[in-house]
Amino acid sequence: MREATRERFDVAVVGGRVAGSSAAAHLARAGLSVLLLERADSPGEILSTHTMQDLDCLDRLGVLERVLATGPPPMPRSTLWMDDCDLSVGHPEQPWLSVRRATLDGLLLETARRAGAEVRLGCKVTGLLRDGRDERVHGLRYTGPDGREVTVSSRLVVGADGRSSTVAKLTGARKYHQSWNERGAVWRYFEGLPAPPEFFFCRRGDDLLLAAPCDRGRVLLAVQPAVEDASRYRADGEIERTFRRAARPWGRDGHEWSDLLAHAEPDGAARMVLRYACFFRESAGPGWVLLGDAGHVKDVVTGQGICDAMRHAERLTARVMPAWRSDRALDAATRTWWHARDRDAAPMYWLSQDMGRAGVSPALFGSFFQRIAASERRKLRLQEVLGRRYPVRRFIAPYRFAAAIAARLRSGAAPAGATLREAGALVRTEALRRWAAVRPHYEQGGARPGQRDGRRAGQQGSPRDRRQDGRLGGTEPGREERARPGERRPARTGGDGGGSRAAVPAAGKTTAQKGGGDGDDRGADPYRAARTGGVRAHRAAGPASPVAEGSDE
C-alpha cells in the first residue's frame, strides 16, 4: 500500500448517487468545503424507482434543464388502475418524470462538481476517525483507485452509501420498523414503443404492472409478482406477455398493449430484485448522519425514493448551516433533522407496505378505491399524496374507511361478519403501528423474514407472530429493545398529526405537533413556497413528444 495522505474538508459525503450528490451540491453552495466519495468508477444502473413526482427538487438543485435535455417526456397525466377502479387523472401543475439511474446519477454528480464539491470515484471507505475523549466522529479513511490510503478530517461525515451502508456499519446504527417486501420486481427497457406521455400503474388481481417513458427514447416496463414467482418473469418475452394479458389500456386514448408492443424491441436483458428489507435506521450521532437509503428504505411500489432523497438532502443543509458554529449545536441539528425525516417518511412507509402486499387486494381496499374513483377531486388528491403535496393520513383518514365499511355492509356484497372481521384487522394493524411509533423495535443482527428475536432461522413461530412480522417487522408490544442508557430515541413516527407527539428537541412547533401535514418540518425548509417553480422550464419548452436496479441512492 502506498504512503498515506492527510486532507481536511468541512464535510465528507460517502456515496455519489441521488442523496449524496444532492447533499454535496447544497452544502457546497452554502459555502462549505465538501469531499464526495463514490465507490463505483462511474454511475450505472441499480435497483431503483425511476419516477420523480416533484420536479421542484430538480429545479432547486439546478439540474432540471439538463435532465429534460436527455429526452424524458414530462408526464402531466397518470393512468392508474386498482382492479376495476379507474383512478386516472391529469395533473398538469405537477408533471412527473422517469429517468434511468445511469443518466440521472451522472447529471447529479456533475451538478455536485459544478457546485464546488471535490468528487472522487473508485474510492472505498475503510474506517472512521474518532475523538478518543467523546467518541465523536471527526473524519474517515478511504483507499483510492491507486491503492493509496487517504485520511480525511471533517466536522461532519454524511453516509449516503445505500441500504448496505458502510458508514452505518462503522457507526453501529441500528434498524427499526423493519419489514420485508412481498413482491419482487422485474423490469426491462424497450425501444420503438410509442408510449403516451403518461405514467402507467395497474394492479389487477394478483398482477401489478407499471410503465413509463424514460430518457433517450427508452420505455420502462416492470412487473411486480410475488417474490416466489418473480424469477420466471426474466425469461424472454414474459414481461410482454404479462402486459398483453393483464394490463389495462394505457393513456387517455386507451392504447391497447398488443398495438403498443407490436414493433417494440428490448434494450438489454431484464433486471430483477427479489427480497429486500424495508426499514428506518438511527440516522444521526456525534459528527455523522445517514441520508437516503442508508437511513430509510420503503417498498418500491410507490416510487418515492428519488424525491425523498433530494428533499431530505435539502432539509439537512437547511438544518446544519445555522448550527455550524459548534459541535454541540451541529449534533443537535442533525438529531432534529433525523426526527423530522422520520415524521415525514413514516406515513408513506406504511402506505407503501400496504400497496406492495402480494395477492389480491383486500375487499375493503376495493371499496375505499371505488369511492375515490367516483370523484375527480379525490382522484386528484391521490395524485397529490403520491407527489407529497397532501398528507397521507389526511387522505387515508379513518372516516373514509368508515364510509367504505358502511357502504359494503349496506350493499350486502359480503357477509357482515367477514366485513367486520376485516375492519377489525385494519384497526389492529393501525394500533400496532401507532405503538411502534411510540416504542420503536430495534432489529438485532438483521433478522431474515420469518425470524424473530430468540427464534432460529426457519422457525416460523405462531400465526400471531407471523401476522405481526408482516406488519411491523417483528414488533410486539412489550418485547421491544429499550434505548441504551443516556441515548435519545428516534422520533415517534406517527406523522400527519396521527395522535403521537414527536419526541424532538424543542425548536418551535412542527407541523406534526400542530396536527397538520406529513410532519414536514416546515420551519426548517426554506423552499416550501416554491411549489410550482419546477415546471416552468417544462412549460416554456412546449408539449413534449410522446416518444422522445437497486437502491434509490
Side-chain angles (χ1 to χ4, degrees):
M1 181 175 293
R2 302 189 181 185
E3 184 179 353
T5 301
R6 292 184 175 273
E7 299 179 334
R8 179 167 185 81
F9 291 85
D10 291 328
V11 182
V13 180
V14 182
R17 297 287 183 169
V18 173
S21 294
S22 299
H26 285 300
L27 291 166
R29 287 172 183 164
L32 301 181
S33 60
V34 179
L35 173 64
L36 175 59
L37 302 175
E38 167 57 37
R39 184 168 183 170
D41 294 326
S42 62
E45 293 297 338
I46 55 174
L47 162 67
S48 173
T49 56
H50 289 57
T51 309
M52 290 173 280
Q53 304 91 347
D54 184 2
L55 304 193
D56 292 353
C57 292
L58 293 172
D59 197 23
R60 292 191 296 267
L61 200 56
V63 73
L64 177 60
E65 293 282 1
R66 285 181 289 139
V67 170
L68 290 172
T70 66
M75 296 178 284
R77 190 176 188 274
S78 296
T79 300
L80 300 181
W81 284 89
M82 292 292 290
D83 292 311
D84 295 326
C85 302
D86 184 3
L87 305 172
S88 306
V89 69
H91 40 89
E93 295 298 318
Q94 189 181 10
W96 295 6
L97 280 182
S98 182
V99 183
R100 292 176 299 168
R101 286 300 301 272
T103 300
L104 178 64
D105 292 355
L107 291 172
L108 292 179
L109 269 177
E110 181 59 27
T111 298
R113 186 178 286 112
R114 291 184 181 186
E118 176 74 20
V119 177
R120 298 176 185 173
L121 305 179
C123 298
K124 180 182 178 180
V125 172
T126 58
L128 298 178
L129 307 182
R130 294 182 182 273
D131 192 314
R133 294 169 299 174
D134 57 9
E135 288 298 301
R136 177 181 178 79
V137 172
H138 62 88
L140 53 79
R141 291 186 301 274
Y142 76 90
T143 302
D146 59 356
R148 181 169 53 95
E149 185 177 86
V150 181
T151 299
V152 178
S153 297
S154 65
R155 288 278 308 281
L156 181 66
V157 173
V158 178
D161 46 344
R163 64 188 70 204
S164 300
S165 168
T166 297
V167 176
K169 294 173 183 175
L170 293 172
T171 58
R174 299 172 296 171
K175 296 177 182 178
Y176 51 99
H177 299 339
Q178 181 164 278
S179 62
W180 293 86
N181 66 307
E182 295 186 10
R183 291 179 178 271
V186 185
W187 69 100
R188 199 171 193 177
Y189 301 103
F190 291 83
E191 295 180 282
L193 197 161
E198 298 189 23
F199 181 76
F200 178 86
F201 178 97
C202 177
R203 180 164 180 165
R204 193 175 188 182
D206 192 32
D207 292 300
L208 196 159
L209 311 96
L210 62 89
C214 300
D215 56 290
R216 309 190 195 285
R218 305 309 193 268
V219 177
L220 168 72
L221 299 187
V223 296
Q224 289 191 248
V227 168
E228 56 270 20
D229 299 329
S231 297
R232 69 181 180 88
Y233 287 87
R234 294 193 72 179
D236 282 343
E238 191 61 33
I239 292 177
E240 299 94 304
R241 283 191 290 272
T242 303
F243 270 82
R244 290 189 180 99
R245 171 181 58 82
R248 299 280 188 175
W250 190 1
R252 187 191 300 271
D253 298 328
H255 300 283
E256 295 291 342
W257 282 97
S258 56
D259 298 330
L260 291 170
L261 291 166
H263 303 291
E265 293 292 335
D267 177 27
R271 297 172 172 87
M272 178 179 69
V273 61
L274 292 178
R275 180 68 77 174
Y276 57 89
C278 306
F279 57 83
F280 290 80
R281 265 199 189 108
E282 296 170 313
S283 293
W288 61 271
V289 67
L290 299 180
L291 181 64
D293 279 4
H296 164 58
V297 177
K298 62 174 66 68
D299 195 295
V300 301
V301 68
T302 51
Q304 298 289 311
I306 293 176
C307 287
D308 275 2
M310 290 190 289
R311 185 173 62 255
H312 295 154
E314 253 182 315
R315 294 177 179 177
L316 177 64
T317 303
R319 277 291 183 188
V320 303
M321 290 311 300
W324 200 254
R325 63 188 180 276
S326 71
D327 290 346
R328 183 174 181 179
L330 181 61
D331 293 344
T334 57
R335 285 196 303 269
T336 303
W337 169 85
W338 165 27
H339 301 330
R341 190 277 316 268
D342 277 15
R343 292 195 304 274
D344 176 69
M348 187 61 73
Y349 178 82
W350 299 122
L351 176 62
S352 300
Q353 187 182 94
D354 290 338
M355 291 185 67
R357 296 286 187 206
V360 299
S361 301
L364 278 180
F365 277 69
S367 299
F368 174 82
F369 284 114
Q370 285 174 4
R371 292 180 58 81
I372 302 303
S375 166
E376 287 296 314
R377 182 178 62 84
R378 291 174 189 158
K379 289 195 288 186
L380 185 58
R381 282 294 192 209
L382 176 59
Q383 295 294 328
E384 293 173 347
V385 167
L386 295 174
R388 307 306 294 275
R389 301 194 179 198
Y390 193 80
V392 175
R393 283 191 174 160
R394 192 179 298 174
F395 181 75
I396 307 179
Y399 77 88
R400 293 190 190 275
F401 269 99
I405 293 167
R408 188 164 180 80
L409 290 172
R410 287 195 302 268
S411 70
T419 299
L420 292 175
R421 282 193 296 274
E422 188 176 341
L426 290 174
V427 171
R428 286 193 298 275
T429 297
E430 182 62 16
L432 287 169
R433 289 173 176 175
R434 298 295 178 95
W435 178 256
V438 176
R439 298 288 299 275
H441 172 74
Y442 293 92
E443 295 298 325
Q444 292 283 3
R448 293 187 295 276
Q451 181 181 4
R452 295 171 57 82
D453 293 343
R455 222 167 59 208
R456 295 189 305 274
Q459 291 182 316
Q460 295 299 313
S462 68
R464 177 170 176 267
D465 286 340
R466 291 197 295 274
R467 287 196 299 271
Q468 290 175 340
D469 282 344
R471 290 171 188 156
L472 293 170
T475 301
E476 180 179 354
R479 292 190 61 182
E480 299 82 357
E481 178 188 346
R482 297 182 182 275
R484 298 163 181 158
E487 168 185 73
R488 299 185 71 96
R489 289 188 175 276
R492 299 180 180 184
T493 52
D496 289 318
S500 59
R501 186 179 177 86
V504 299
K509 286 191 175 182
T510 66
T511 304
Q513 290 168 323
K514 294 177 184 177
D518 268 341
D520 280 355
D521 189 26
R522 293 172 188 262
D525 186 357
Y527 310 103
R528 177 65 61 175
R531 273 309 195 186
T532 59
V535 300
R536 290 174 187 155
H538 144 63
R539 288 175 178 165
S545 169
V547 182
E549 140 158 16
S551 162
D552 293 324
E553 308 322 331

